[in-house]
């Protein structure tokens, strides 16, 4: 998985490209912890180029939410495809994480 | 169709295995949602077998078997571990468990497959996807 981070108006936008499986969930977690250590307090994860998320990926997203909450930060995700959104709804992830249809509304929420 | 594959207990081998298996399933004419669900169910079952069943011991194997019977896609994943108490799996949607970082794999399988059951003291999970019929009322 490729992970690209852009800083847009003080918000870290983490764009993923690939599949969020066991190995890549660890990569995402590591990248996120680096961002936190560097002082990031607002993070968006963009799923536009993600076609698959396993339960390990769901766990990583929950952990990211929890870590940012502890750091008084804000977190959301955007551009989730229909199939992955279905998995989020089954597992009630949408009750824990703010999910946006596109990057613009995700940025607006954290601005 | 009959697929039978065995891998050592390494999570990094699962993606490659599933890619080859899903390529073989592409001829069945499933819609993208069904393919996603089959991939997710197989992935979760394989990860559970490798991590929890075989405790990541590469000397222990995980076996995947797939066939079609009476219009149903039958998928079985078996590990060589000690089994587990599959009758007492916590519900990940309770307020106590909702934010836990584990415990969603089997729940997902239950929700996205048409039928599933454990056999051999929890060492084998059998999952069924109806190819032509609607999901049975539970």
């Amino acid at each position: 998985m490729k992970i690209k981070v852009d800083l847009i108006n003080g918000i870290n936008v983490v764009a993923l490209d690939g599949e969020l499986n066991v190995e890549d969930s660890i990569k995402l977690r590591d990248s996120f912890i680096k961002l936190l250590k560097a002082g990031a307090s607002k993070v968006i994860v963009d799923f536009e180029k993600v076609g698959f998320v396993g339960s390990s990926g769901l766990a990583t997203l929950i952990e990211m939410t929890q870590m940012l909450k502890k750091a008084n930060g804000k977190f959301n995700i955007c551009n989730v495809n229909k199939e992955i959104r279905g998995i989020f709804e089954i597992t009630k992830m949408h009750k824990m994480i703010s999910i946006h249809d596109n990057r613009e509304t995700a940025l607006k929420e954290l601005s | 169709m009959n697929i039978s594959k065995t891998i050592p207990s390494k999570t990094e081998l699962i993606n490659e295995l599933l890619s080859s298996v899903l390529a073989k399933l592409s001829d069945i004419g499933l819609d993208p949602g069904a393919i996603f669900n089959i991939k997710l169910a197989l992935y979760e079952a394989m990860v559970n077998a490798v991590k929890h069943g075989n405790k990541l011991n590469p000397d222990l194997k995980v076996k995947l078997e797939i066939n079609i019977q009476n219009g149903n896609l039958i998928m079985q994943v078996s590990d060589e571990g000690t089994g587990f108490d599959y009758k007492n799996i916590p519900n990940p949607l309770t307020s106590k468990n909702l934010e836990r970082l584990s415990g969603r794999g089997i729940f997902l399988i239950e929700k996205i497959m048409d039928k599933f059951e454990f056999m051999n003291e929890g060492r084998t999970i059998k999952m069924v996807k109806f190819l032509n019929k609607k999901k049975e009322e539970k």
Side-chain angles (χ1 to χ4, degrees), chain B residues 1 25 28 30 38 66-69 71-75 113 127-131:
Chain B
M1 171 187 289
L25 291 179
I28 302 175
L30 297 164
I38 289 166
I66 301 178
N67 58 66
I68 295 173
Q69 292 173 13
N72 297 332
L73 186 66
I74 317 284
M75 298 163 282
M113 289 288 101
M127 303 172 287
V128 180
K129 187 77 185 163
F130 302 154
L131 297 178

Side-chain angles (χ1 to χ4, degrees), chain A residues 19 21-23 51-56 58-59 62-63 66 83-84 87 90-93 95-96, chain B residues 11-12 15 32-33 36-37 39-40 43-44 47 51 93 98-102 104-105 107-108 111-112:
Chain A
E19 300 196 336
N21 51 35
V22 172
E23 289 76 25
F52 178 80
V53 176
S55 63
S56 51
L58 300 180
I62 293 169
E63 195 179 10
Q66 292 170 345
E83 285 78 24
I84 296 172
I87 296 305
I90 288 171
T91 52
K92 300 203 184 298
M93 293 285 287
K95 290 194 169 183
M96 294 174 269
Chain B
T11 56
E12 62 268 31
N15 293 316
F36 179 91
N37 285 344
K39 180 176 179 177
L40 181 58
Y43 187 77
E44 295 300 326
V47 169
K51 285 176 75 175
L93 300 188
L98 197 58
E99 295 196 27
R100 279 187 59 190
L101 300 183
S102 60
R104 291 176 183 79
F107 177 79
L108 280 171
K111 295 296 177 188
I112 60 181

Side-chain angles (χ1 to χ4, degrees), chain A residues 8-35:
Chain A
I8 303 173
N9 299 328
I11 301 167
N12 287 274
V13 179
V14 181
L16 310 179
D17 186 349
E19 300 196 336
L20 206 46
N21 51 35
V22 172
E23 289 76 25
D24 290 321
S25 295
I26 295 167
K27 271 190 210 168
L28 173 60
R29 186 180 184 278
D30 291 346
S31 299
F32 178 73
I33 287 171
K34 274 184 197 163
L35 283 178

Side-chain angles (χ1 to χ4, degrees), chain B residues 112-116 128-130 133-135 138:
Chain B
I112 60 181
M113 289 288 101
D114 292 316
K115 281 165 71 175
F116 87 108
V128 180
K129 187 77 185 163
F130 302 154
K133 291 178 277 184
K134 287 182 180 173
K135 188 167 182 170
K138 287 190 177 177

Side-chain angles (χ1 to χ4, degrees), chain B residues 9 47-56 60 79-83 122:
Chain B
S9 297
V47 169
N48 276 346
V50 167
K51 285 176 75 175
H52 305 301
N54 289 345
K55 315 279 187 211
L56 295 167
L60 300 179
D79 63 61
E80 297 177 334
T82 54

